[in-house]
Amino acid sequence: MRRARPGAVPRGTGGSAHARRAAGEERALTSVEAGDDFDDKQQREVVSRTDARAESRVLSKLWHITLSVSGAEAPLPEVRRGLEQLAHDHPFLLTSRYAHDHAEIRYWEEARDLHDAAAVALRLWGEHRSSAKLPPWKIVGLEVIDRETYHQRIAEGYGPPPAAPVGVHPF
């Protein structure tokens, strides 16, 4: 014996939705009211907080980074190969200059503010040290300037020279 709702067509007896519509037994959709615990005011507050966050979101900007590292002497070919691998791993790297015991890396970083750009720059050497087989040197200098300051310095004839030629070069 099969159990079914009163008036329901048993399964497998040709009682398809198409057959029910043809017989005038169209099912209607109805809306369901929100439960007693639904708080429309709370929902509006969530939407307004989301809108406020979107309005306060600061656009990121470009920062010119100059990272200086130094340490015990290392063979020049190994230093060059490591910096070339770093340039491959970090596509925004502009130029690197190196010697037996120190190197300088310049690149553009996109970040919300100076603090974020500096934090990323300070992690660059350590995070890529093993993958790029970089020397175990320490960061000894960091300069982070915004794009406008960089271009102003270049226009006035002082500051870091433009990062050309791009690539990895000895000092």
Side-chain angles (χ1 to χ4, degrees):
M1 175 174 153
R2 295 182 86 170
R3 296 183 129 191
R5 292 187 328 251
V9 178
R11 289 185 182 184
T13 61
S16 68
H18 178 69
R20 285 194 305 272
R21 279 194 295 276
E25 296 179 21
E26 185 88 24
R27 292 191 320 184
L29 296 176
T30 60
S31 62
V32 177
E33 294 292 326
D36 291 336
D37 61 344
F38 179 75
D39 185 0
D40 189 35
K41 180 181 175 190
Q42 180 183 8
Q43 181 67 22
R44 283 185 302 221
E45 288 175 4
V46 168
V47 170
S48 69
R49 280 195 310 266
T50 303
D51 291 344
R53 265 188 302 212
E55 288 174 10
S56 68
R57 199 173 295 149
V58 178
L59 297 176
S60 61
K61 38 190 285 193
L62 287 176
W63 300 88
H64 186 265
I65 309 290
T66 303
L67 183 69
S68 299
V69 294
S70 181
E73 285 194 13
L76 282 179
E78 289 180 22
V79 174
R80 179 180 182 90
R81 191 216 37 77
L83 290 172
E84 287 172 345
Q85 183 62 47
L86 178 62
H88 177 74
D89 294 347
H90 197 278
F92 297 107
L93 196 74
L94 292 175
T95 187
S96 297
R97 299 186 306 165
Y98 64 94
H100 286 285
D101 60 350
H102 65 283
E104 179 183 88
I105 302 163
R106 293 188 191 166
Y107 67 99
W108 289 99
E109 184 68 61
E110 184 176 357
R112 183 184 57 204
D113 57 24
L114 182 132
H115 298 285
D116 289 349
V120 171
L122 289 170
R123 289 192 312 265
L124 177 75
W125 188 262
E127 288 179 354
H128 290 275
R129 187 176 324 180
S130 62
S131 65
K133 296 185 174 89
L134 296 166
W137 295 343
K138 302 290 183 203
I139 296 172
V140 295
L142 174 66
E143 180 184 50
V144 180
I145 56 175
D146 65 357
R147 187 175 182 192
E148 295 78 22
T149 303
Y150 175 82
H151 288 295
Q152 179 183 357
R153 286 183 178 183
I154 300 304
E156 293 174 356
Y158 69 93
V166 173
V168 178
H169 308 283
F171 271 106

